[in-house]
Amino acid sequence: MKYFGGCDVGSTYTKTVILDEQGKMVASNTIKSKINSRESAELSLKNALNDAGLKEISDLSYLIGTGYGRNKVPQAQENISEISCHAMGVHITNPEVEAIIDIGGQDVKGIAVDSDGTVKTFAMNDKCAAGTGRFFESMANAFEVSLDEFSKLSLTAKNVIPITAQCTVFAESEVITLVGEGQPRDEIAAGIQQAVAKRCFVMAKKAGAKNSITLTGGCAKNEGLKRAIEKVLRIKVIDLNIDPQLMGALGAAEFARQKGLDKELL
């Protein structure tokens, strides 16, 4: 049996997926990214290899790096853009999905997926951290709760307190003021989720979203955000049956599987 790997070195988390020849996921790993991208890739790969019962990176027939630090993945045969990898990862998970919003640690992307898993078009917001994983970390800190607790906080809100600031720093200051005034915390959280959903609106439209969309990246686990996006965009958010944070690594592993098998046929 031959195995194929994809390593997604993101700004916040590093993920690795290992597939077998049939495309079955035999191992995956997610760790908090270190300052050194190469160290992050090495550790995540080591963990995934151990789980797959493999010893060395060289035990993989083909390895592809993706993400922010894709050039630092050791022994990778090549690297591919995370945009293409997220599209492929979602495609093999659910071929019916045609549009993706990928909310990463420091940017937001809207991706239109073609019928073969390739990218038709995409839009990217990497000029401001508002609406990204870093933004939600700041908001959770302002509430003095975990990210998981914050993601569920808005679900109980009967009303929404709008957050007007577009900048992460100013938004955090606005939230701290509202909390200090004794405003309902769930309604403030609902305002935060709504503000991010509105920022996703343009990305979704550029990605050609019509009836449904799916979310990838760590923020896809934010239940409050999913509900806010459905309300603002008036479309259904499709849940994936695989951890959405793994989509980039999964797509890279699938590219590696295809390229590795094609190479054998030459």
Side-chain angles (χ1 to χ4, degrees):
M1 179 68 74
K2 291 181 171 58
Y3 297 96
F4 309 89
C7 185
D8 178 6
V9 186
S11 60
T12 308
Y13 288 91
T14 296
K15 295 79 62 178
T16 296
V17 166
I18 296 176
L19 302 178
D20 65 15
E21 294 176 28
Q22 282 73 46
K24 178 183 177 181
M25 188 187 300
V26 296
S28 66
N29 177 259
T30 301
I31 62 167
K32 188 82 171 177
S33 292
K34 301 178 179 296
I35 295 176
N36 187 303
S37 295
R38 186 178 181 86
E39 288 183 8
S40 299
E42 287 177 341
L43 179 56
S44 185
L45 277 164
K46 179 182 178 181
N47 292 341
L49 287 166
N50 286 339
D51 289 344
L54 304 174
K55 295 182 179 180
E56 305 291 341
I57 295 175
S58 57
D59 290 336
L60 296 173
S61 297
Y62 210 94
L63 172 63
I64 287 179
T66 190
Y68 173 80
R70 59 183 177 270
N71 293 317
K72 301 298 184 180
V73 177
Q75 300 182 49
Q77 276 82 354
E78 61 180 293
N79 61 75
I80 296 177
S81 162
E82 65 268 28
I83 296 170
S84 294
C85 288
H86 275 264
M88 179 57 74
V90 168
H91 176 71
I92 63 173
T93 302
N94 186 339
E96 302 300 318
V97 174
E98 298 180 347
I100 303 166
I101 296 177
D102 171 35
I103 307 177
Q106 296 185 15
D107 58 34
V108 181
K109 309 177 190 74
I111 307 169
V113 186
D114 215 334
S115 58
D116 61 352
T118 58
V119 177
K120 287 203 294 191
T121 186
F122 73 93
M124 183 174 180
N125 171 30
D126 60 353
K127 302 298 183 183
C128 175
T132 68
R134 297 291 191 192
F135 176 78
F136 282 115
E137 285 182 353
S138 295
M139 295 302 102
N141 288 336
F143 278 86
E144 298 182 335
V145 298
S146 69
L147 273 171
D148 184 57
E149 291 173 315
F150 175 78
S151 74
K152 298 173 182 176
L153 187 59
S154 65
L155 300 177
T156 60
K158 295 182 179 179
N159 298 300
V160 177
I161 297 177
I163 302 299
T164 58
Q166 295 296 307
C167 168
T168 298
V169 176
F170 292 143
E172 185 174 10
S173 177
E174 184 176 353
V175 167
I176 290 173
T177 298
L178 290 169
V179 171
E181 292 173 352
Q183 298 291 345
R185 292 159 65 89
D186 58 346
E187 295 181 7
I188 301 171
I192 294 168
Q193 305 286 22
Q194 183 184 76
V196 175
K198 287 180 177 179
R199 293 181 70 87
C200 291
F201 181 84
V202 175
M203 295 295 171
K205 292 304 178 184
K206 288 184 177 180
K210 296 179 181 179
N211 300 312
S212 63
I213 198 164
T214 197
L215 305 180
T216 61
C219 293
K221 301 175 184 179
N222 185 327
E223 292 296 327
L225 177 60
K226 286 195 289 186
R227 184 174 295 184
I229 287 176
E230 286 185 326
K231 186 174 182 179
V232 171
L233 273 64
R234 297 181 181 178
I235 58 176
K236 178 177 176 56
V237 174
I238 298 174
D239 289 323
L240 301 170
N241 59 8
I242 294 176
D243 184 347
Q245 198 168 7
L246 291 175
M247 283 302 119
L250 174 60
E254 174 60 18
F255 276 125
R257 187 182 76 89
Q258 293 177 9
K259 289 172 179 288
L261 293 177
D262 286 344
K263 186 178 180 181
E264 291 182 3
L265 297 174
L266 295 178

